[in-house]
Amino acid sequence: VDIGTLAAAAALCALVVALVHALPLANAGESGPPSAAVATVVSFRQGLQDLRENPVLRRMAWLVAFNWMAITAVVYWVMAALDAASGGDAARFRVAYGAYNIGSTALMLAAQLAFARRVAERARGRSLLVLPLSILAGTLAAWLARSPLAAVAVALAMYMAQAAWDTPARMTLLAREPPHSRGRALALLDSYAYAAGTAAGAAALAGLNLLLPINWLAHGPAALAVAA
């Protein structure tokens, strides 16, 4: 992943959000049911209004966005670690990346089966702190380990915490909110807040690489710990 890719991803996500927010709600002289694009814009704006009026949903949206900023940085760090471990060989990198994807998917499913139901039954507001705290603890531990495998271990632990704890807890807390705003809030949290966090994380990484080039294999854990 180079700087241009990161910058382009951030710019495209920001452009999409800006265009959606600027779209008119209807065309002059038109009648009948709204189009899918207009309905999406209306839902988006109503969801933003729900966030402004509901402090619980607003804090949840900020938390999702900041989580995905950190997750974007972790994934970038993992790619750098896998590339270093494969010695720059494309075939070895594909094998390592495939094994990483298979392992992360299997661990996420196992963690969901083992813990998701119990977490959902006992979810509280503080339950949403588990994912950011796990990222922080993992990056600090990886800083001490100084190994490419540490990056992979942090990512796997992060995905397990997200799948088995953060997502079921967030869904349970969201289900306690008023029904009229629940669907719009879910769309904002799982789409727009996620996209905004990813774009912000990509933009921050591109800026860091331009202004202060970082050896992510050696210093990635320290940078992530500071960000978290």
Side-chain angles (χ1 to χ4, degrees), residues 24-182:
L25 297 183
N27 294 327
E30 283 192 356
S31 60
S35 65
V38 171
T40 300
V41 174
V42 171
S43 178
F44 176 75
R45 293 180 178 175
Q46 289 175 339
L48 289 180
Q49 184 64 31
D50 291 336
L51 295 187
R52 283 192 288 267
E53 296 174 353
N54 189 321
V56 174
L57 295 178
R58 186 167 61 250
R59 291 166 190 162
M60 202 177 294
W62 279 111
L63 191 58
V64 169
F66 282 122
N67 280 342
W68 277 99
M69 284 182 66
I71 289 171
T72 301
V74 170
V75 171
Y76 184 63
W77 176 36
V78 168
M79 295 302 100
L82 291 178
D83 183 60
S86 61
D89 182 84
R92 291 178 62 187
F93 177 83
R94 285 195 295 268
V95 171
Y97 185 61
Y100 161 77
N101 276 334
I102 293 172
S104 61
T105 302
L107 287 175
M108 286 171 62
L109 291 175
Q112 281 183 324
L113 291 174
F115 301 109
R117 177 176 294 182
R118 281 178 286 181
V119 170
E121 292 172 351
R122 304 174 185 178
R124 300 291 185 273
R126 293 182 178 179
S127 301
L128 298 180
L129 295 176
V130 170
L131 178 57
L133 289 177
S134 67
I135 296 175
L136 176 60
T139 53
L140 290 175
W143 169 249
L144 297 175
R146 301 291 185 94
S147 166
L149 291 178
V152 176
V154 171
L156 294 179
M158 174 188 72
Y159 285 131
M160 290 175 65
Q162 180 194 12
W165 197 287
D166 188 75
T167 298
R170 181 160 48 84
M171 291 300 179
T172 299
L173 295 173
L174 193 59
R176 298 171 185 168
E177 296 302 312
H180 68 274
S181 61
R182 192 180 304 157

Side-chain angles (χ1 to χ4, degrees), residues 178-228:
H180 68 274
S181 61
R182 192 180 304 157
R184 294 191 296 264
L186 179 61
L188 280 174
L189 293 176
D190 284 352
S191 298
Y192 298 108
Y194 151 77
T198 303
L205 287 171
L208 282 173
N209 277 292
L210 284 172
L211 300 176
L212 184 65
I214 292 177
N215 180 353
W216 280 90
L217 185 58
H219 304 296
L224 290 173
V226 171

